[in-house]
Amino acid sequence: MELAPDIEDKIQQSFAAQRMMATLGARLDRIEAGRVAIRAPILDCAQQQHGFGHAGLTFSIGDSAAGYAALSVMPPDAEVMTVEMKINLLAPADGEQLRAVGEVVKAGRRLVVVKAEVFATKSDRTTGIALLQGTMIPL
Amino acid sequence: MELAPDIEDKIQQSFAAQRMMATLGARLDRIEAGRVAIRAPILDCAQQQHGFGHAGLTFSIGDSAAGYAALSVMPPDAEVMTVEMKINLLAPADGEQLRAVGEVVKAGRRLVVVKAEVFATKSDRTTGIALLQGTMIPL
Amino acid sequence: MELAPDIEDKIQQSFAAQRMMATLGARLDRIEAGRVAIRAPILDCAQQQHGFGHAGLTFSIGDSAAGYAALSVMPPDAEVMTVEMKINLLAPADGEQLRAVGEVVKAGRRLVVVKAEVFATKSDRTTGIALLQGTMIPL
Amino acid sequence: MELAPDIEDKIQQSFAAQRMMATLGARLDRIEAGRVAIRAPILDCAQQQHGFGHAGLTFSIGDSAAGYAALSVMPPDAEVMTVEMKINLLAPADGEQLRAVGEVVKAGRRLVVVKAEVFATKSDRTTGIALLQGTMIPL
């Protein structure tokens, strides 16, 4: 599926309006039809008690990547909202940078099933740190 | 079950070391054996594109409340880590303040099953906005 | 909320049409508005490799109890379908009988959030063996 | 990774001891290291009220496929148990036969993260009907 330019603009604008993403230093990395990637450094302000990235950081960019993946396959005037999301944490968010890749599993008229994977990069080594699976609802 | 004072201290210190909690303006509200509450305002810096609290904020305090509830029933030298967490979002995080109440469902030797509920308060009206269910592992 | 007699009939008929429930020996135990309980023995035919009830048995009655709880608060001509369900298994399904209690957490127009708890009874002792949380969609 | 013959035997024996699998007409379809497939017809006895396969059938074979995938990468004397499992239902279980493919996402010493996909085949057309993500614990 081709991604329409107006959909890409809509995602860019929605992302820019999410102050949480700015707080976390997150940036849109790649937008394709049904697949969106978000990158974020592990800022001091998003750390947990041991200096790793907080699970809330991992969840935030994983959920957002999945949500924008859903938005990328919706009609131009639609919005999406997370209904529910499950996250399995595979390893500590240890490193310089995280990357979340969200994908559409099934786009229905009433619900969109999504998944996301989050990776941490530490001096050139990349590790999968989280797996998300959830449901978005078009508004 | 009685909560030992050293356990309460440990939770206070761990919470204070979580920079993400400071970034979100979150505070420990109540610590009991098996039950911990966290409060957070909906700061501008934690909003999504419509001015509501970001799902990442709701998740962060819900997951942390559940994690500290687990920690409250562990031996004094233990730590806990989130294995997995499921969140159902019930309503937008609309209002002045959120409150997450985490509880231990079952504390096993190898795993602790937890749940949490998150509420939003808007001019004296309190609404349940999220329900979490997950697993912690003692370290 | 009061449960209308025609809703109770509808649930009884739907349950009777679920051959899987008959296979598992399951029976409707209690129907209230927003809360439905299902009972099932642990039949040989529903055991796993150690003689305990299979996770599929626990899931089946937990999911069904939650689904009928959702149906109990819907308009008379509605049906519901499971969108997603998360189950945490707390203990082996050990005993003579299981009982699943499903409840509505939030009934929206487009989605119903539900939860369920499953208990096992073994010679007069009852243990919580599973916790479910999920989403139903009205059809 | 190579699958040792004694591991394959162990999985075959464990599967044969699961009476629930026999009740559902399920059969091991393929065993590889980290990946196990189970096939099952949609028997009358496993149907829900509309004649489709019950969500409990889909869950049972998806959970078992994921569990045996975990077992396939464990030491020969280990067993595994489901800690928690999340299922998203994508489409009704409509057709002659289901096939569940379970995979190991990450095998840790204390926990194994797994996923599974379930497909339905109806007159030569195969559709993804469910996606599972969960956690197994070695015993």
Side-chain angles (χ1 to χ4, degrees):
Chain A
M1 192 167 24
E2 199 73 20
L3 181 73
D6 55 345
I7 299 277
E8 176 155 358
D9 286 354
K10 186 176 71 162
I11 291 174
Q12 295 277 9
Q13 283 165 30
S14 170
F15 189 89
Q18 282 207 34
R19 296 188 189 178
M20 182 68 147
M21 289 295 110
T23 302
L24 299 173
R27 291 201 293 176
L28 279 167
D29 190 52
R30 196 177 178 91
I31 307 173
E32 294 168 86
R35 195 166 181 277
V36 168
I38 292 174
R39 247 180 321 132
I42 302 180
L43 299 178
D44 283 2
C45 73
Q47 288 177 5
Q48 39 86 290
Q49 67 275 23
H50 300 300
F52 297 128
H54 198 277
L57 164 63
T58 304
F59 178 87
S60 294
I61 62 169
D63 177 57
S64 290
Y68 287 121
L71 199 60
S72 74
V73 299
M74 294 282 111
D77 58 342
E79 299 233 24
V80 300
M81 212 173 60
T82 302
V83 167
E84 56 86 27
M85 190 60 66
K86 157 74 144 55
I87 185 168
N88 279 76
L89 296 163
L90 309 175
D94 184 15
E96 297 88 36
Q97 187 169 266
L98 302 184
R99 186 166 189 265
V101 182
E103 279 181 65
V104 171
V105 173
K106 183 176 174 184
R109 199 172 44 81
R110 297 177 61 187
L111 295 169
V112 184
V113 178
V114 291
K115 63 178 181 178
E117 209 165 344
V118 187
F119 303 90
T121 302
K122 185 176 187 175
S123 27
D124 295 339
R125 194 168 167 246
T126 294
T127 313
I129 63 161
L131 207 62
L132 294 85
Q133 182 175 313
T135 311
M136 299 282 159
I137 194 168
L139 296 181
Chain B
M1 192 169 21
E2 199 74 21
L3 180 73
D6 56 345
I7 299 277
E8 176 156 358
D9 287 353
K10 185 176 72 162
I11 291 174
Q12 295 277 9
Q13 283 165 29
S14 171
F15 188 90
Q18 283 208 31
R19 297 188 186 175
M20 182 69 148
M21 289 296 110
T23 302
L24 300 173
R27 292 201 293 175
L28 278 167
D29 191 52
R30 196 177 179 90
I31 307 173
E32 294 167 87
R35 196 167 179 277
V36 169
I38 293 174
R39 247 180 320 132
I42 301 181
L43 299 179
D44 283 2
C45 74
Q47 288 176 6
Q48 38 87 290
Q49 66 275 24
H50 302 299
F52 298 127
H54 197 276
L57 164 64
T58 305
F59 178 87
S60 294
I61 63 170
D63 177 58
S64 290
Y68 286 121
L71 199 60
S72 75
V73 299
M74 294 283 110
D77 58 343
E79 300 232 24
V80 300
M81 210 174 61
T82 303
V83 168
E84 57 86 27
M85 190 59 66
K86 158 74 144 59
I87 185 168
N88 279 75
L89 296 163
L90 309 174
D94 184 15
E96 296 87 37
Q97 188 169 265
L98 303 185
R99 186 167 188 264
V101 182
E103 278 181 66
V104 171
V105 173
K106 181 173 177 187
R109 198 174 43 81
R110 296 178 61 188
L111 295 169
V112 184
V113 179
V114 292
K115 62 178 180 178
E117 209 166 344
V118 186
F119 304 90
T121 302
K122 185 176 187 175
S123 26
D124 295 338
R125 191 163 172 250
T126 293
T127 314
I129 63 161
L131 206 63
L132 293 86
Q133 182 176 312
T135 311
M136 299 282 161
I137 194 167
L139 295 181
Chain C
M1 191 168 21
E2 198 75 20
L3 180 73
D6 55 345
I7 299 277
E8 177 156 358
D9 287 353
K10 185 175 72 162
I11 291 174
Q12 296 277 10
Q13 283 166 28
S14 170
F15 188 90
Q18 283 208 34
R19 297 189 187 175
M20 182 68 147
M21 289 296 111
T23 302
L24 300 173
R27 292 200 294 175
L28 278 167
D29 190 52
R30 196 178 178 90
I31 307 173
E32 295 168 87
R35 196 166 179 277
V36 168
I38 293 174
R39 246 180 323 132
I42 302 181
L43 299 179
D44 283 2
C45 73
Q47 288 176 6
Q48 38 87 289
Q49 67 275 25
H50 301 299
F52 298 128
H54 198 276
L57 164 65
T58 305
F59 177 87
S60 294
I61 63 170
D63 177 58
S64 290
Y68 287 120
L71 198 61
S72 75
V73 299
M74 294 283 111
D77 58 343
E79 299 232 25
V80 300
M81 210 173 61
T82 302
V83 168
E84 56 86 27
M85 190 59 66
K86 157 74 143 58
I87 185 167
N88 278 77
L89 296 163
L90 309 174
D94 183 14
E96 296 87 39
Q97 187 170 264
L98 302 185
R99 187 167 188 264
V101 182
E103 278 181 66
V104 171
V105 173
K106 183 177 175 184
R109 198 173 43 81
R110 297 178 61 188
L111 295 169
V112 184
V113 179
V114 292
K115 63 177 179 178
E117 210 165 344
V118 186
F119 304 90
T121 302
K122 185 176 187 173
S123 28
D124 295 338
R125 192 165 170 247
T126 293
T127 314
I129 62 161
L131 207 62
L132 293 86
Q133 182 176 312
T135 311
M136 298 282 160
I137 194 167
L139 295 182
Chain D
M1 190 168 23
E2 198 74 20
L3 181 73
D6 56 345
I7 299 277
E8 177 156 357
D9 286 354
K10 186 176 71 162
I11 292 175
Q12 296 277 10
Q13 283 165 30
S14 171
F15 189 90
Q18 284 208 33
R19 296 189 189 177
M20 182 68 146
M21 290 295 110
T23 303
L24 299 173
R27 292 201 292 175
L28 278 167
D29 191 51
R30 197 176 177 91
I31 307 174
E32 294 168 87
R35 195 165 181 278
V36 169
I38 292 174
R39 249 180 318 135
I42 302 180
L43 298 179
D44 283 2
C45 72
Q47 288 177 5
Q48 39 87 290
Q49 67 275 24
H50 300 299
F52 298 128
H54 198 276
L57 164 64
T58 304
F59 177 87
S60 294
I61 63 169
D63 177 58
S64 291
Y68 286 120
L71 199 60
S72 73
V73 299
M74 295 282 111
D77 58 342
E79 299 234 25
V80 300
M81 211 173 60
T82 302
V83 168
E84 56 86 27
M85 190 59 65
K86 156 75 142 57
I87 185 169
N88 279 76
L89 296 164
L90 309 174
D94 184 15
E96 296 88 38
Q97 187 170 264
L98 303 184
R99 187 167 188 265
V101 182
E103 278 181 67
V104 172
V105 173
K106 183 177 174 184
R109 198 174 43 81
R110 296 177 62 188
L111 295 168
V112 184
V113 179
V114 291
K115 63 178 181 178
E117 210 164 344
V118 186
F119 304 90
T121 301
K122 185 176 186 174
S123 25
D124 294 338
R125 192 165 171 248
T126 294
T127 312
I129 63 161
L131 206 62
L132 294 86
Q133 182 176 312
T135 310
M136 299 282 159
I137 195 168
L139 296 182

